[in-house]
Amino acid sequence: MQLPSTDLLEKINKQSQSKIYDWSYQKFLQAGFNSEWSHTINSLFLLLIVIIILLTIDFITRKVVLTLVTRFITKSKNVIDDHLIKNKTLKYISHFIPLFIAQQISPIIFLGFPNWLKAINKGIEVLLVLIIMAIIHSALKIIRDILKTRKSFADKPLESYLQVAQIVLICIGGTIIFSILTGISPKTFLVSLGAASAVLILVFKDTILGFVASISVSANDSIRVGDWIEMPKHNADGSVIEINLNNVKVQNFDKTITTIPTHTLLIDSFKNYRGMQTSGGRRIKRAINIKISTIRFMTEEEIMDLEKIKLLKPFIEQRRLEINEYNNKSQADQTMPVNGRKMTNIGLFRAYITAYIRQNPNMHKEMISMVRQMDPTEHGVPLEIYVFTNDTRFEIYEGIRSDLFDHLFAAITFFKLEVFESPASDDLRNLRIKIDQEK
């Protein structure tokens, strides 16, 4: 069976269009309207009918077909098709049907108005381009959502890549729409656009910088979603919740959100705590300032008293042997305390802190652990504790650190030491009372 030729199909189509238009046109002539008014009213009448038909089709598509498809998708075990609903892909596709029908019917309605027909066809073509752009954009969002569920892409700046794709899509769609409206070929438009590239670079400077920064950040793996970063210049101290083309969003610990321009990550310095979190240990670096006037040699009675401390007893026994051996060899005159070697209260306190840290189950055993004496200052001798906890969680870490120093501040009095404090009002008041009593 031979198919009809293209010319024959066009002829049949025109005849059917003429019959529909002429039938309604004749009805308006019979109603008493002149030829010009009959054409106008006939076109408006057919336009109203088509609008009603299109709205009905759109309603049926969205409320019936789309609802049935949505129910089927929600009941299915496949998670991927759920993204079709979330990103409105099916909704955008459903708009194709009314537009396709409008494109086919518009020549019938505006048969006697070629200028109107040309303008309406351009409008329909523009709408079709916009819907195609919306579908592509929706498809890109689906790809982003699917990749976010993969471990290898969970910490990548997918939002930045999506925004770059959006810009490319808008540029291509804008070029096509401009070509439809003006009749200028896309090639000619792009050639003329090249002359204005300097202006475009100036307008999209931040976007271009953000794009370059996003690629650099992703390539160097310097920051990921979920990282805890600190950037004092921008008052940022918290977890990264989003990385996109133009900015990085950081949720601070007080639940406020700081927005940092993406390109500043290449210019300004910032601290990333990811290394600390992945290592499994978090550092404690804090000093206790010892009042210098309380530092002294310990008597044998005081040493015997401190020997009752279980953690300190092995150290005292070992150190006593070393000191006695040295003093016997040097034949030091023990009547003068500075002769030979003796134990000091600050030395014993430092040894006690070291032993206490080593037996503490909250300290990381494979990382640096030491207690060191820093240079003396006007605030006394700093005795610095430099250790790592085995839990990096903020609230747990703070609890461990507080418990450690609670114990040390309470234990220091047993070593006849005092923590340096600036004179308070009570100190001055007690001093005045003491002076008055001496008088």
Side-chain angles (χ1 to χ4, degrees), residues 53-265:
I53 294 172
L54 293 177
L55 291 175
T56 304
I57 294 172
D58 186 68
F59 177 81
I60 293 171
T61 305
R62 288 187 296 105
K63 297 298 182 180
V64 180
V65 179
L66 200 58
T67 303
L68 292 174
V69 174
T70 303
R71 287 180 181 176
F72 175 77
I73 289 174
T74 52
K75 289 180 180 179
S76 67
K77 295 181 179 180
N78 192 351
V79 181
I80 297 176
D81 55 9
D82 293 337
H83 296 299
L84 294 172
I85 301 172
K86 178 184 175 183
N87 294 296
K88 302 180 180 180
T89 309
L90 297 176
K91 181 181 177 181
Y92 295 138
I93 293 174
S94 67
H95 291 314
F96 259 119
I97 299 173
L99 283 175
F100 177 75
I101 294 173
Q103 193 176 37
Q104 299 300 316
I105 295 178
S106 58
I108 301 174
I109 302 172
F110 299 99
L111 185 64
F113 303 91
N115 292 331
W116 286 28
L117 180 60
K118 185 178 178 181
I120 288 172
N121 283 335
K122 285 185 176 182
I124 293 173
E125 290 176 1
V126 169
L127 290 175
L128 286 171
V129 172
L130 292 174
I131 289 176
I132 292 172
M133 290 172 61
I135 293 172
I136 296 174
H137 181 226
S138 177
L140 292 173
K141 284 185 175 181
I142 292 173
I143 295 172
R144 176 203 61 187
D145 293 339
I146 294 172
L147 291 178
K148 277 185 176 181
T149 60
R150 308 276 180 86
K151 287 185 178 180
S152 56
F153 291 93
D155 52 5
K156 295 296 184 292
L158 298 176
E159 290 291 340
S160 298
Y161 301 146
L162 177 63
Q163 290 180 345
V164 172
Q166 286 175 348
I167 292 173
V168 174
L169 183 63
I170 290 171
C171 291
I172 294 173
T175 303
I176 295 172
I177 290 172
F178 181 83
S179 177
I180 292 171
L181 295 176
T182 60
I184 300 174
S185 67
K187 183 179 179 180
T188 305
F189 173 69
L190 292 174
V191 169
S192 62
L193 196 62
S197 58
V199 178
L200 290 174
I201 291 173
L202 183 62
V203 171
F204 294 103
K205 180 186 71 172
D206 292 336
T207 302
I208 295 170
L209 289 174
F211 174 58
V212 174
S214 296
I215 295 174
S216 177
V217 164
S218 177
N220 297 324
D221 198 23
S222 57
I223 187 172
R224 303 175 187 169
V225 174
D227 283 356
W228 170 15
I229 68 168
E230 184 179 347
M231 206 169 185
K233 183 177 179 180
H234 296 276
N235 296 319
D237 185 12
S239 300
V240 177
I241 58 175
E242 184 179 332
I243 303 174
N244 55 46
L245 189 62
N246 295 315
N247 53 62
V248 175
K249 292 182 180 179
V250 179
Q251 186 176 51
N252 301 311
F253 292 117
D254 59 359
K255 298 305 178 182
T256 58
I257 294 177
T258 300
T259 302
I260 304 170
T262 307
H263 67 269
T264 59
L265 297 176

Side-chain angles (χ1 to χ4, degrees), residues 377-391:
T377 66
E378 67 274 15
H379 299 295
V381 178
L383 204 61
E384 186 180 78
I385 291 87
Y386 193 103
V387 293
F388 288 82
T389 65
N390 56 14
D391 199 318

Side-chain angles (χ1 to χ4, degrees), residues 344-356:
T344 61
N345 53 356
I346 191 171
L348 290 175
F349 184 54
R350 182 161 51 86
Y352 172 75
I353 297 173
T354 302
Y356 181 77

